């Protein structure tokens, strides 16, 4: 069920006057958050580069040339490697593998955590015990060592295999959190009302329970994407995954193996390192934005600006609204006396 609209009420001798905050403004509150907006813009930029990167790369990332260990210049924006390979082209082409693994693993892990966690919390009984036991089993499976074993056993294992292994082993924590939240929501009044009206179980889960878990699901998805991206880069850096497919970890692998730091070739590893740092920062900003959107104490946009306004009574007296309070202007003994009354807003 969606949260009720925020209202500003003025009680006058002629009757109450109510102005509802538009629902569209509430929906845009998350995007209006500077942290979330910045993170989404940067993440969208990397997704765009992942799509068009191989097309706009000025050189073949594996092509050799006579420009060995060259500084960044107009010809090679990020410089070249010991074989004359263009590092800018390698960064552009390598973005696709990183984003593919991160997003696919996040989608797989989030789907499994929602399916198992919400079902276990809502159904209860034997279903809850079985699904909780399954979550506990996957909770103790180490994802990174398993990926190393799979990659070593299957030499042709590519980004798809790595993403699936990460997604299939990273859903247990999210499932436990969603189960706990579902247990607290299953006996709420609006859920009991839906049961009383004869709604089906899956209709109650999808329409009544799931909307109230959106922020937790989104936060779990962002956390899984961060873990998957770092796992993919780590595997490439230590040489476990195939080095024939370019990604940022592969660039760092070759820079480390050829002693780029000892040669003073800082341009060989700095661009890939900065790309990793910027992507991680963007995902963290989105996570912070989700936290502020969910928690009223952390919220710094949208609703706060709406409440920081003035309300004028019929006699011209002005009452400045404070965060968390709604002024009610009533008349006492023929004169309008401002009375400040706390208004508790229910969150969905």
């Amino acid at each position: 069920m969606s949260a009720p609209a925020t209202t500003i009420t003025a009680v006058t001798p002629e009757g109450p006057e109510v102005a509802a905050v538009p629902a569209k403004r509430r929906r845009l509150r998350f995007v209006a958050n500077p942290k979330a907006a910045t993170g989404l813009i940067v993440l969208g930029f990397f997704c765009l580069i992942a799509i068009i990167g191989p097309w706009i790369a000025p050189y073949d990332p594996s092509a050799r040339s006579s420009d060995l260990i060259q500084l960044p210049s107009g010809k090679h924006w990020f410089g070249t490697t010991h074989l004359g390979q263009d590092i800018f082209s390698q960064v552009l082409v390598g973005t696709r593998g990183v984003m593919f693994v991160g997003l696919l693993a996040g989608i797989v892990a989030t789907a499994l955590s929602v399916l198992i966690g919400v079902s276990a919390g809502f159904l209860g009984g034997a279903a809850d015990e079985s699904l909780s036991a399954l979550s506990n089993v996957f909770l103790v499976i180490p994802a990174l060592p398993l990926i190393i074993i799979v990659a070593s056993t299957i030499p042709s294992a590519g980004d798809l295999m790595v993403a699936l292994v990460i997604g299939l082993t990273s859903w247990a924590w999210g499932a436990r959190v969603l189960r706990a939240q579902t247990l607290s929501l299953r006996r709420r009044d609006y859920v009991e009302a839906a049961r009383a009206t004869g709604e089906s179980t899956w209709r109650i889960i999808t329409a009544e329970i799931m909307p109230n878990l959106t922020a937790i699901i989104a936060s779990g998805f962002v956390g899984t994407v961060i873990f998957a991206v770092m796992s993919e880069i780590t595997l490439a850096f230590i040489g476990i995954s195939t080095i024939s497919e370019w990604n940022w970890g592969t660039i760092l692998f070759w820079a480390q193996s050829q002693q780029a730091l000892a040669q003073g070739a800082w341009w060989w590893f700095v661009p890939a390192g900065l790309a990793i740092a910027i992507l991680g920062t963007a995902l963290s900003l989105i996570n912070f934005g989700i936290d502020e959107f969910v928690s009223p104490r952390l919220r710094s946009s949208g609703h706060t600006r709406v409440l920081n306004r003035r309300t004028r009574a019929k006699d011209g007296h002005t009452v400045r609204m404070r965060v968390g309070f709604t002024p009610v202007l009533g008349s006492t003994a023929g004169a309008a006396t401002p009375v400040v009354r706390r208004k508790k807003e229910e969150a969905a």
Side-chain angles (χ1 to χ4, degrees):
M1 298 176 66
S2 59
T6 305
T7 58
I8 301 174
T9 308
V11 180
T12 63
E14 289 76 17
E17 297 179 359
V18 179
V21 176
K24 181 178 180 181
R25 183 178 300 175
R26 296 199 312 275
R27 291 194 296 267
L28 295 178
R29 186 183 299 156
F30 174 72
V31 181
N33 186 292
K35 296 178 182 178
T38 303
L40 289 174
I41 291 173
V42 176
L43 181 62
F45 171 77
F46 278 111
C47 291
L48 178 64
I49 294 299
I51 296 173
I52 67 175
W55 301 338
I56 64 175
Y59 302 95
D60 183 349
S62 301
R64 303 183 181 187
S65 68
S66 57
D67 300 326
L68 308 181
I69 311 293
Q70 294 294 314
L71 284 165
S73 61
K75 184 178 180 181
H76 301 284
W77 288 5
F78 290 171
T80 60
T81 68
H82 67 297
L83 298 177
Q85 298 167 331
D86 184 65
I87 298 176
F88 179 65
S89 299
Q90 293 178 354
V91 172
L92 290 179
V93 175
T95 305
R96 174 174 294 184
V98 173
M99 298 303 299
F100 174 78
V101 171
L103 295 178
L104 180 58
I107 292 172
V108 173
T110 302
L112 290 175
S113 64
V114 170
L115 178 63
I116 295 177
V118 176
S119 299
F122 186 82
L123 297 178
D128 184 16
E129 294 180 1
S130 302
L131 294 176
S132 297
L134 181 64
S135 300
N136 293 334
V137 170
F138 276 87
L139 197 62
V140 298
I141 297 178
L144 193 58
L146 180 61
I147 298 172
I148 294 175
I149 294 174
V150 172
S152 302
T153 306
I154 308 175
S156 60
D159 293 338
L160 178 60
M161 181 64 68
V162 172
L164 291 178
V165 172
I166 295 175
L168 293 174
T169 56
S170 304
W171 57 267
W173 280 109
R176 289 179 66 87
V177 174
L178 290 174
R179 174 183 175 273
Q181 292 296 320
T182 305
L183 287 173
S184 67
L185 294 173
R186 58 184 294 191
R187 295 302 178 187
R188 298 289 177 90
D189 292 340
Y190 60 88
V191 178
E192 296 293 345
R195 282 200 191 95
T197 57
E199 296 286 354
S200 63
T201 299
W202 293 110
R203 172 68 172 75
I204 295 174
I205 291 176
T206 55
E208 306 295 343
I209 301 294
M210 290 286 291
N212 295 283
L213 300 174
T214 303
I216 299 176
I217 296 171
S219 180
F221 172 78
V222 172
T224 305
V225 171
I226 294 175
F227 172 73
V229 167
M230 297 309 299
S231 298
E232 166 73 356
I233 293 172
T234 301
L235 290 171
F237 177 69
I238 63 180
I240 297 299
S241 61
T242 175
I243 58 176
S244 61
E245 298 180 2
W246 287 102
N247 62 54
W248 299 338
T250 308
I251 299 173
L252 296 178
F253 168 80
W254 286 113
Q256 187 272 339
S257 62
Q258 297 300 321
Q259 300 295 317
L261 184 60
Q263 298 183 53
W266 54 266
W267 59 89
W268 197 340
F269 54 85
V270 167
L274 284 178
I276 296 170
I278 293 172
L279 178 59
T281 302
L283 294 171
S284 299
L285 288 175
I286 295 174
N287 208 358
F288 295 154
I290 294 172
D291 291 339
E292 292 183 1
F293 179 73
V294 174
S295 175
R297 293 181 180 273
L298 300 176
R299 191 174 301 152
S300 59
S301 63
H303 185 54
T304 302
R305 291 198 299 270
V306 173
L307 292 182
N308 287 335
R309 296 196 291 188
R310 297 178 181 271
T311 301
R312 186 177 297 276
K314 291 292 184 180
D315 62 350
H317 182 78
T318 301
V319 175
R320 183 173 178 81
M321 302 181 65
R322 292 183 296 166
V323 176
F325 290 82
T326 297
V328 179
L329 308 179
S331 117
T332 303
T337 303
V339 180
V340 179
R341 182 180 65 191
R342 180 179 294 275
K343 175 181 175 61
K344 297 180 179 179
E345 180 183 2
E346 297 180 0

